Amino acid sequence: MKSKARLMQGNEACVEGAIAAGMKFFAGYPITPSTEIAEIAAEKLPRVGGKFIQMEDEIASMAAVIGASLTGSKSMTATSGPGFSLKQENIGYAALAEVPCVVVDVQRSGPSTGLPTSPAQGDIMQARWGTHGDHPVIALTPSSVRETFDLTIRAFNLSEKYRVPVILLMDEIIGHMRERVELPDAFEIEIVNRKKPTVGRDQYLPYKADEDLIPPMANYGEGYRFHVTGLAHDETGFPTNSPAMADKLYRRLMDKIEMHKDDIIQWEEENTDDADVVIVSIGGVSRAADTAMKQLREKGYKVGTFRPITVWPFPEKRLLELASKVKTFVVAEMNLGQIALEVERIIKDKAELKKVNKVNGEAIYPEEIIARIEEVL
Amino acid sequence: MNNNETVTDKLVVNENWCKGCGICVKFCPKNVLKVENEKVKVIDIDKCIQCGLCELRCPDFAIYVRGK
Amino acid sequence: MPSALVNEYFRTNKLPQIWCPGCGHGIITRAITAAIDKLGLERDKICIVSGIGCSSRAPGYMDFDTLHTTHGRAIAFATGVKMANPDLKVIVITGDGDATAIGGNHLIHACRRNIDITTIVFNNNIYGMTGGQYSPTTPKFDKGTTAPYGNIDKAFDIPALAAAAGATYVGRSTAYHTQLLISLIENGIKNEGFSLIEALSVCPTYYGRKNKKGSAVDMLEWQKDHAVNISAASKMTPESLEGKFLIGEFKNSPEPEYTSEYQKIIDRLCKE
Ligand SMILES: Cc1ncc(C[n+]2csc(CCOP(=O)(O)OP(=O)(O)O)c2C)c(N)n1
Ligand code: SF4
Ligand code: SF4
Ligand code: SF4
């Protein structure tokens, strides 16, 4: 059999994954290091009957993606730090109005224009709290080209299932890395579609959730004639000033993710069984963490790795379990300590926390992690 | 909710929706209407020619011509 | 029972609207449904999109698929709706601030693309919802809460802006000139491309009060007395046009429509 393996860039794998997931609409605005995603989407989407549009800015891109999703099209946008900031208001809109969509952020160095072509992981907290108010969010982080493909599909599936914006938090290392990958056939891929109403227009309450806390979603143009707003609303979808209704809505939005955490959260760990030290990292840094771990193991040190695949919600339960047996967590990240903040919150004083941080636009090298661990051991 | 409705042969007025702005009164060519206690009132229905100008410009859809 | 038109096209259980007594926005909203009614459009294939502002509350009362978005972004949301499902007739309701301040960039780019969206700008020359601050269409030297000494900004001529940016159907009417407004909206919806109709509204509560323009009735009378239809204007002397403003159909020049052009690309590629 002919090998289906292909040399592919992370950004390309993202588009391949999106199309495999059923993406039919992409709106974007060019920005390094995410631009290839827009370029490849522009080329591929019309070939599968989908639509691409280059909007006038990232605010418009996010808006168009939400509009398209309301007609039933699976929709995505891609950007990097500065553009991710511009999208935030409408990401909040998607969270409140429960419109499924995927937002790719290929992180670069910042704040502001920063080091445009250099890798960073400075948007961890922006992904969580970038828009105002309490809101649900799911953010996934791939650490290889193949995983970018898989997680893009998963991002669509989760957004459809839970009616939330899902953020694919990549970094420049993964976005621009080329790897030989073999993509699965369509029949091997699990595709999830949003839950549709089973009642007619007269009975349809667009924001009445089922027991799973997720309301079925009609498409515009199907005759439901429903209202969608960014104002606090009741089950009918119309604005409400009732404190009780507003409270119910906001809490349900958070609870719908909380309730399904076990379905959503993923992580990967290696050699944690006997580990004294566990390196915590995501995305591109996890590759250096892996190398560091292996080299230290060869030297006889008991080192393991822990890699959150869903950064949000964070794999809290598992990390806490590990904290009871691990002496030290070393959090390595290309920022000044954002994941470390979350790890610290979870482990409290159950284990020691050490950090490896880098914000100069260079990747974190295995030697830097090793050096830090050797200080501890 | 719509119990405060005045129905004549020519016009229907919904007092619940009327905000008493007086737009219909001013632009009625036949002086059929007036505003009293912040609500529109039909004062001379005989003169109404059912031109529909009141309906066209009422911002609150509180007045309309019947059978048209 | 409300009128047949209102009963047919409005969510009557949401009425009366939150708007102030005499607010012109209600007149314009009704005019939009009158135009839709005249065109006999398929009800379930209409999507009405708005931003944030008093004007942008209109779709909540209208019985269609309706989308109340973020401030200034209605046209961008509408672009996504239309691109993803070109079978939908997409109508945008927006205010002067919503459309030309925070949303100005989206407006000119939608004009440029000539995407089939009909945009009705409810222009009341002020920010109503936030309490009377000056907007990009507040006339020079008029007052707003943020222009206590008179506004020194020059006002946008919205139809001229839209026409220059590439909209293929452009017109202006007023809340007073309701019949003309209905026919412009009708033609705008019929135009396969980006249409912009400026509907001059009245805000007695803020613009009116701040600038001593009297009641809603007085403000509509002012519209009546100062508007000149463009078809009549050509026969008038410059002196008689002094202090007047134009209404009517300003531009009607169809060009290829954006989503149709994109569909051509899809069709070509799918044949390969
Ligand atoms: C991003 C953002 N900035 C500011 C506001 C506050 N705001 C709400 S409506 C509005 C102005 C509305 O004016 P206009 O569009 O002219 O509509 P009108 O209320 O006059 O009908 C502003 C500034 C907001 N909601 N969102
Ligand atoms: S229909 Fe015409 S004449 Fe009759 S009340 Fe209305 S505006 Fe006056
Ligand atoms: S125009 Fe409408 S709201 Fe105003 S007074 Fe007449 S009926 Fe009442
Ligand atoms: S503030 Fe002005 S624009 Fe807003 S509802 Fe009142 S009159 Fe209308």
Side-chain angles (χ1 to χ4, degrees):
Chain A
M1 211 176 102
K2 209 175 96 214
S3 165
K4 290 179 292 179
R6 277 196 338 191
L7 194 63
M8 194 181 282
Q9 198 190 45
N11 282 345
E12 186 181 354
C14 174
V15 181
E16 291 289 353
I19 288 175
M23 170 173 73
K24 282 288 177 306
F25 183 81
F26 182 101
Y29 190 82
I31 181 166
T32 306
S34 76
T35 304
E36 296 83 2
I37 297 176
E39 289 171 342
I40 300 165
E43 184 204 326
K44 303 221 158 167
L45 265 176
R47 295 182 179 274
V48 296
K51 315 276 172 69
F52 168 92
I53 186 168
Q54 180 171 308
M55 295 298 285
E56 51 276 14
D57 59 31
E58 287 86 349
I59 301 174
S61 308
M62 192 62 221
V65 157
I66 297 169
S69 181
L70 283 162
T71 73
S73 276
K74 290 189 184 178
S75 306
M76 181 171 99
T77 183
T79 187
S80 184
F84 194 44
S85 296
L86 286 180
K87 287 182 195 293
Q88 291 300 336
E89 186 192 11
N90 285 336
I91 291 175
Y93 185 95
L96 184 84
E98 299 179 77
V99 185
C101 53
V102 174
V103 180
V104 184
D105 173 22
V106 188
Q107 297 168 90
R108 68 185 217 184
S109 177
S112 192
T113 309
L115 298 162
T117 57
S118 301
Q121 296 178 324
D123 301 352
I124 314 278
M125 287 300 170
Q126 186 175 207
R128 180 62 198 91
W129 295 116
T131 198
H132 62 285
D134 293 295
H135 56 275
V137 108
I138 297 175
L140 314 177
T141 311
S143 73
S144 71
V145 173
R146 171 59 202 256
E147 197 183 32
T148 303
F149 176 86
D150 295 336
L151 287 188
T152 308
I153 296 172
R154 187 153 194 269
F156 273 97
N157 287 348
L158 291 171
S159 78
E160 292 283 318
K161 188 168 179 184
Y162 296 113
R163 293 189 60 177
V164 279
V166 174
I167 291 153
L168 187 74
L169 205 54
M170 295 172 61
D171 55 50
E172 192 275 343
I173 297 177
I174 303 302
H176 283 161
M177 183 167 64
R178 287 182 184 277
E179 283 183 322
R180 188 162 287 280
V181 291
E182 193 167 320
L183 299 183
D185 286 318
F187 68 86
E188 298 171 79
I189 297 170
E190 191 207 357
I191 301 293
V192 180
N193 294 313
R194 62 191 71 170
K195 192 163 66 176
K196 304 282 294 176
T198 51
V199 296
R201 187 176 94 85
D202 293 339
Q203 279 153 25
Y204 180 51
L205 291 170
Y207 289 91
K208 183 170 166 44
D210 295 335
E211 264 168 31
D212 59 6
L213 301 185
I214 305 152
M217 185 172 174
N219 295 334
Y220 279 168
E222 289 180 334
Y224 282 92
R225 303 211 294 267
F226 60 109
H227 186 58
V228 175
T229 178
L231 287 167
H233 45 268
D234 60 20
E235 290 176 341
T236 65
F238 288 95
T240 175
N241 286 325
S242 146
M245 292 314 279
D247 186 77
K248 191 174 163 198
L249 169 70
Y250 290 133
R251 287 181 193 278
R252 177 177 64 75
L253 292 181
M254 298 298 270
D255 289 347
K256 87 177 166 184
I257 299 304
E258 189 64 31
M259 180 179 188
H260 300 283
K261 260 186 171 171
D262 290 343
D263 177 48
I264 298 167
I265 291 175
Q266 286 184 336
W267 72 91
E268 194 178 68
E269 58 183 79
E270 214 182 322
N271 287 333
T272 48
D273 286 351
D274 63 344
D276 295 323
V277 176
V278 166
I279 312 167
V280 181
S281 68
I282 61 164
V285 180
S286 297
R287 305 171 75 92
D290 194 53
T291 309
M293 181 264 289
K294 284 178 180 143
Q295 290 183 13
L296 287 164
R297 279 271 163 189
E298 272 167 29
K299 291 190 198 170
Y301 296 121
K302 289 181 176 161
V303 176
T305 54
F306 183 78
R307 178 172 73 88
I309 296 171
T310 41
V311 191
W312 305 115
F314 201 85
E316 177 164 353
K317 212 162 70 185
R318 181 58 187 153
L319 192 79
L320 200 56
E321 283 166 12
L322 289 176
S324 63
K325 359 184 246 184
V326 168
K327 259 193 244 138
T328 308
F329 288 98
V330 174
V331 183
E333 50 186 331
M334 290 186 284
N335 58 52
L336 291 178
Q338 299 191 18
I339 297 171
L341 214 56
E342 182 67 3
V343 171
E344 201 174 6
R345 183 188 71 77
I346 294 165
I347 65 170
K348 304 212 167 60
D349 48 11
K350 292 189 182 65
E352 188 185 25
L353 175 75
K354 295 279 177 197
K355 300 191 249 179
V356 179
N357 305 111
K358 218 167 165 186
V359 286
N360 63 356
E362 289 174 355
I364 291 178
Y365 302 113
E367 305 79 65
E368 294 169 299
I369 301 174
I370 292 170
R372 189 84 176 111
I373 292 174
E374 280 176 339
E375 285 170 25
V376 179
L377 287 168
Chain B
M1 196 192 107
N2 288 344
N3 47 2
N4 272 345
E5 224 173 45
T6 303
V7 183
T8 69
D9 285 352
K10 295 176 179 170
L11 286 178
V12 178
V13 171
N14 176 349
E15 280 91 4
N16 284 333
W17 288 358
C18 172
K19 292 175 185 162
C21 66
I23 291 173
C24 58
V25 177
K26 176 72 191 183
F27 299 110
C28 167
K30 297 289 171 190
N31 293 320
V32 176
L33 311 163
K34 81 172 201 191
V35 172
E36 211 177 78
N37 299 325
E38 300 188 353
K39 294 288 172 190
V40 70
K41 209 174 155 201
V42 179
I43 49 169
D44 197 350
I45 192 66
D46 292 344
K47 283 200 269 173
C48 172
I49 52 169
Q50 290 195 296
C51 64
L53 290 177
C54 51
E55 178 177 352
L56 200 61
R57 298 203 188 95
C58 170
D60 286 287
F61 321 148
I63 187 166
Y64 66 94
V65 172
R66 276 190 83 188
K68 276 218 164 177
Chain C
M1 266 285 276
S3 73
L5 183 83
V6 171
N7 210 31
E8 179 68 16
Y9 294 107
F10 284 86
R11 293 163 170 150
T12 51
N13 63 335
K14 302 285 168 202
L15 295 172
Q17 300 104 326
I18 51 161
W19 295 320
C20 308
C23 174
H25 290 355
I27 307 176
I28 303 165
T29 305
R30 184 188 171 283
I32 295 170
T33 60
I36 289 171
D37 189 58
K38 284 194 172 176
L39 288 168
L41 299 177
E42 197 184 333
R43 159 83 70 93
D44 291 341
K45 296 290 172 204
I46 297 174
C47 179
I48 307 194
V49 186
S50 68
I52 296 288
C54 294
S55 34
S56 290
R57 283 301 191 97
Y61 302 109
M62 303 168 81
D63 193 12
F64 302 92
D65 283 326
T66 50
L67 179 57
H68 178 229
T69 69
T70 45
H71 190 31
R73 318 302 173 196
I75 292 173
F77 277 78
T79 298
V81 172
K82 182 69 189 179
M83 268 296 267
N85 187 353
D87 291 342
L88 298 178
K89 279 276 166 208
V90 180
I91 298 171
V92 167
I93 292 179
T94 173
D96 41 311
D98 199 60
T100 69
I102 190 165
N105 201 29
H106 309 310
L107 171 66
I108 56 174
H109 287 277
C111 291
R112 177 179 63 81
R113 292 185 192 106
N114 195 35
I115 186 165
D116 187 12
I117 293 172
T118 302
T119 294
I120 297 126
V121 184
F122 291 37
N123 181 3
N124 56 8
N125 307 100
I126 203 97
Y127 287 170
M129 177 137 275
T130 41
Q133 300 76 25
Y134 69 99
S135 88
T137 61
T138 303
K140 212 163 174 174
F141 308 125
D142 274 3
K143 290 192 172 136
T145 57
T146 46
Y149 310 113
N151 165 38
I152 58 167
D153 290 20
K154 192 167 153 183
F156 263 142
D157 177 339
I158 301 177
L161 176 72
T168 46
Y169 187 92
V170 176
R172 175 194 287 139
S173 188
T174 76
Y176 177 82
H177 300 87
T178 326
Q179 292 290 17
L180 172 67
L181 180 61
I182 294 170
S183 71
L184 291 178
I185 296 171
E186 248 185 280
N187 292 338
I189 295 173
K190 267 196 274 179
N191 174 47
E192 280 173 29
F194 193 86
S195 306
L196 180 132
I197 291 99
E198 180 183 31
L200 294 177
S201 189
V202 295
C203 169
T205 304
Y206 292 115
Y207 180 72
R209 210 174 281 164
K210 272 267 153 211
N211 292 290
K212 305 201 167 53
K213 300 283 180 189
S215 65
V217 169
D218 297 327
M219 294 172 81
L220 289 173
E221 283 225 284
W222 186 91
Q223 292 184 339
K224 174 180 153 205
D225 295 340
H226 292 81
V228 175
N229 197 296
I230 187 162
S231 54
S234 55
K235 291 164 222 128
M236 288 167 66
T237 62
E239 296 81 59
S240 57
L241 281 170
E242 190 76 37
K244 305 275 201 250
F245 67 90
L246 296 182
I247 56 173
E249 183 178 278
F250 298 162
K251 183 176 177 186
N252 185 357
S253 52
E255 279 178 43
E257 192 274 329
Y258 190 79
T259 60
S260 311
E261 292 297 294
Y262 197 90
Q263 191 57 45
K264 284 185 199 160
I265 296 177
I266 295 178
D267 294 344
R268 197 170 72 220
L269 291 171
C270 292
K271 251 190 251 145
E272 274 176 13

